[in-house]
């Protein structure tokens, strides 16, 4: 049987052009994904690089609220970077158990806490240091919550009672007085 339709060969340049076009699209999609992931992250946490100022004996940090009107900020616990969600309704700084393990926090006595999800068992712990920009706190009481998921730390009143805070519009100003 004779083939009346001889196969046409694609010129090498044409197939290479298609390959380059595919590579260009993959790179463009990767760059767009990276850009929008960063943008989305900044929308959730607009305070990733907190600046602050120190004047005399006053340390001041200004936080911007996110789109959900929450104050989320990057800070440090015992020198390790964490993401804080300010929660004036929380008595303590509350750390998810998974993150507490990574931070090397020791579980102390068990207790119970009233949360939005009901009563949960928590474990007492102590933070050697807690830093939020230029604000530095030492020996902060905290709780480890095994029922809490994620890596977000609730910045509760055991830390916030050491600072003065004022809200105006979408900004929250935190001031720490003293040396």
């Amino acid at each position: 049987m004779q083939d009346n339709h001889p196969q046409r060969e694609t010129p090498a340049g044409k197939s290479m052009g298609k390959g380059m076009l595919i590579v260009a699209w993959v790179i463009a999609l990767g760059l767009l994904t990276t850009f929008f992931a960063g943008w989305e992250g900044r929308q959730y946490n607009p305070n990733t690089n907190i600046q602050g100022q120190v004047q005399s004996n006053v340390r001041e940090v200004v936080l911007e609220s996110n789109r959900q009107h929450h104050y989320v900020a990057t800070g440090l616990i015992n020198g390790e970077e964490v993401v804080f969600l300010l929660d004036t309704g929380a008595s303590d700084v509350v750390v998810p158990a998974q993150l507490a393990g990574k931070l090397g926090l020791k579980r102390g006595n068990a207790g119970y806490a009233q949360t939005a999800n009901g009563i949960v068992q928590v474990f007492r712990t102590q933070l050697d240091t807690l830093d939020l920009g230029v604000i530095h706190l030492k020996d902060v009481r905290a709780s480890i919550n095994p029922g809490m998921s994620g890596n977000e730390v609730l910045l509760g009143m055991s830390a916030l009672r050491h600072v003065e805070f004022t809200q105006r519009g979408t900004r929250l100003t935190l001031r720490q007085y003293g040396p």
Side-chain angles (χ1 to χ4, degrees), residues 86-129:
L86 274 73
D87 186 352
T88 58
S91 300
D92 286 344
V93 172
V94 183
V95 183
Q98 177 185 351
L99 180 59
K102 290 179 186 174
L103 295 172
L105 300 179
K106 296 177 183 163
R107 286 186 179 196
N109 294 332
Y112 292 92
Q114 177 69 43
T115 70
N117 293 324
I119 297 175
V120 297
Q121 185 178 38
V122 295
F123 298 91
R124 298 278 174 226
T125 194
Q126 193 79 12
L127 308 178
D128 295 331
T129 60

Side-chain angles (χ1 to χ4, degrees), residues 9-159:
E9 290 188 25
T10 305
K14 194 169 186 177
S15 65
M16 181 183 263
K18 284 183 181 179
M20 294 299 284
L21 184 60
I22 291 170
V23 168
W25 273 105
V26 168
I27 290 172
L29 288 173
L31 290 172
L32 285 170
T33 300
T34 302
F35 170 78
F36 282 110
W39 176 80
E40 183 180 39
R42 286 186 300 278
Q43 294 298 308
Y44 176 71
N45 181 359
N47 304 295
T48 56
N49 188 17
I50 301 172
Q51 301 300 313
Q53 57 184 1
V54 179
Q55 293 180 357
S56 299
N57 288 335
V58 180
R59 296 172 181 273
E60 184 177 281
V61 169
V62 178
L63 303 178
E64 292 288 334
S65 67
N66 66 15
R67 293 181 129 196
Q68 294 79 32
H69 308 289
H70 296 140
Y71 292 98
V72 177
T74 302
L76 302 173
I77 289 179
N78 298 345
E80 297 291 327
E81 188 173 286
V82 297
V83 175
F84 291 112
L85 170 63
L86 274 73
D87 186 352
T88 58
S91 300
D92 286 344
V93 172
V94 183
V95 183
Q98 177 185 351
L99 180 59
K102 290 179 186 174
L103 295 172
L105 300 179
K106 296 177 183 163
R107 286 186 179 196
N109 294 332
Y112 292 92
Q114 177 69 43
T115 70
N117 293 324
I119 297 175
V120 297
Q121 185 178 38
V122 295
F123 298 91
R124 298 278 174 226
T125 194
Q126 193 79 12
L127 308 178
D128 295 331
T129 60
L130 186 151
D131 299 311
L132 190 61
V134 296
I135 294 176
H136 306 289
L137 303 175
K138 292 182 179 184
D139 300 321
V140 178
R141 187 183 73 228
S143 297
I144 298 171
N145 184 341
M148 206 169 142
S149 61
N151 287 321
E152 196 171 77
V153 176
L154 298 181
L155 188 59
M157 292 307 294
S158 63

